[in-house]
């Protein structure tokens, strides 16, 4: 686990999940869980709750409706009777417990996903327990009623309804809007709308946050994201859109 603390004392804890980094945002007795990983990693989240003295999450926020983020949403909603929030544009998939596969950015993923989607094949991992009781939200909703100074902003590209959670205007939990791969790249390997990704990065750096915590890979500093925005815009300008 890794913990960051904002100037006003909100803690952001990254849990030890492998498939998708889940986070707890904690202030006093309130804790909001961001993303839920897959069923096999449920115990990692519950163990982390015990270790950090968290009795129940006051809410669960899903950064988007992918199976490796939404796999335990219904479990937490039922067991802890907490709200599950998802952007309204990703709600439909969560209601059905189904992940649409976004296009791959590079071969061989691009070809494989194209084949699967064109034949309407549903792979077993695309399905997860449906969560029709989730609350669809839109841009700008705050987590104030759950005791946390944070707001949800729309950062589309990876999926239509991808969101980031801005904590104390210092730390952003960005889901798969950006990643951090070993070579320092931050572009997600899959995206429904690749041309919207850089716009979301710009929106994120404009919040003034100093750290961007993705669901896959280590944290990105705002300097690093700024460099990648410049590179991405240069690539688009020279006609080699990613
Ligand atoms: Zn994803």
């Amino acid at each position: 686990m890794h913990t960051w603390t904002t100037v006003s004392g909100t803690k952001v804890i990254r849990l030890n999940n492998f498939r998708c980094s889940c986070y707890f945002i904690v202030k006093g007795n309130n804790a909001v869980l961001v993303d839920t990983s897959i069923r096999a990693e449920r115990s990692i989240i519950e163990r982390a709750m015990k270790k950090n003295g968290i009795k129940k999450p006051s809410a669960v926020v899903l950064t988007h409706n992918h199976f490796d983020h939404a796999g335990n949403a219904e479990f937490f909603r039922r067991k802890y009777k907490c709200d599950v929030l998802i952007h309204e544009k990703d709600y439909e998939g969560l209601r059905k417990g189904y992940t649409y596969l976004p296009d791959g950015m590079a071969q061989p993923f691009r070809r494989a996903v194209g084949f699967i989607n064109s034949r309407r094949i549903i792979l077993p991992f695309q399905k997860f327990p449906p969560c029709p009781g989730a609350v669809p939200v839109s841009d700008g909703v705050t987590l104030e009623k759950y005791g946390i100074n944070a707001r949800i902003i729309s950062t589309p590209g990876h999926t239509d309804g991808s969101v980031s959670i801005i904590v104390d205007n210092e730390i952003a939990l960005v889901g798969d809007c950006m990643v951090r791969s070993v070579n320092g790249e931050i572009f997600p390997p899959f995206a429904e709308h690749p041309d919207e990704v850089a716009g979301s990065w710009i929106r994120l750096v404009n919040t003034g946050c100093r750290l961007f915590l993705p669901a896959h890979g280590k944290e990105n500093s705002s300097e690093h994201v700024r460099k990648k925005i410049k590179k991405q815009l240069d690539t688009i300008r020279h006609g080699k859109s990613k």
Side-chain angles (χ1 to χ4, degrees):
M1 272 186 285
H2 193 109
T3 303
W4 295 265
T5 308
T6 67
V7 172
S8 52
T10 307
K11 271 195 207 165
V12 175
I13 306 168
R14 180 169 61 207
L15 312 188
N16 294 332
N17 299 81
F18 299 101
R19 286 300 278 108
C20 153
S21 292
C22 304
Y23 293 87
F24 266 112
I25 312 171
V26 181
K27 184 76 187 275
N29 290 327
N30 296 302
V32 167
L33 173 64
V34 176
D35 287 330
T36 66
S37 195
I38 55 172
R39 196 183 184 291
E41 296 199 349
R42 184 186 288 170
S43 57
I44 296 175
I45 302 172
E46 290 198 294
R47 269 205 304 275
M49 285 171 62
K50 232 181 230 168
K51 208 166 173 197
N52 289 284
I54 299 167
K55 288 203 177 68
K56 68 181 262 348
S58 30
V60 174
V61 179
L62 300 179
T63 57
H64 60 293
N65 181 52
H66 278 164
F67 67 94
D68 52 337
H69 296 250
N72 292 305
E74 179 64 3
F75 170 81
F76 279 97
R77 194 186 71 81
R78 277 183 184 271
K79 179 164 177 184
Y80 297 100
K81 313 226 172 326
C82 55
D83 287 350
V84 173
L85 311 184
I86 187 159
H87 190 277
E88 55 199 4
K89 287 189 176 163
D90 272 17
Y91 171 75
E92 193 52 22
L94 182 64
R95 187 181 73 76
K96 291 184 191 150
Y98 163 72
T99 291
Y100 171 80
L101 284 186
D103 289 341
M105 289 295 97
Q107 302 296 10
F109 303 111
R110 205 179 175 85
R111 202 174 301 124
V113 172
F115 178 84
I116 291 162
N117 284 341
S118 69
R119 280 165 181 72
R120 295 172 188 258
I121 297 166
I122 296 175
L123 301 172
F125 68 83
Q126 288 178 267
K127 290 197 258 176
F128 56 89
C131 187
V135 182
V137 297
S138 52
D139 185 59
V141 160
T142 76
L143 300 181
E144 218 172 323
K145 75 184 248 206
Y146 307 109
I148 300 290
N149 182 32
R151 67 183 197 280
I152 295 175
I153 67 165
S154 195
T155 46
H158 180 63
T159 65
D160 267 340
S162 284
V163 298
S164 298
I165 297 97
I166 309 298
V167 183
D168 283 341
N169 286 322
E170 273 183 54
I171 298 175
L173 308 183
V174 299
D176 291 358
C177 176
M178 65 178 79
V179 297
R180 177 65 185 239
S181 58
V182 276
N183 60 5
E185 282 311 320
I186 68 167
F187 206 93
F190 299 92
E192 279 175 22
H193 307 289
D195 50 333
E196 292 179 17
V197 171
S200 289
W201 295 349
I202 292 170
R203 191 161 193 218
L204 280 165
V205 296
N206 284 345
T207 61
C209 284
R210 60 183 167 88
L211 271 183
F212 302 90
L213 311 184
H216 304 285
K218 293 201 161 166
E219 61 275 18
N220 289 307
S221 67
S222 58
E223 297 76 44
H224 189 72
V225 177
R226 276 174 209 278
K227 263 186 228 157
K228 293 297 172 186
I229 290 171
K230 190 176 171 306
K231 196 177 148 210
Q232 190 66 19
L233 294 180
D234 284 348
T235 311
I236 293 168
R237 246 176 244 128
H238 293 101
K240 287 186 291 173
S241 162
K242 216 172 161 165

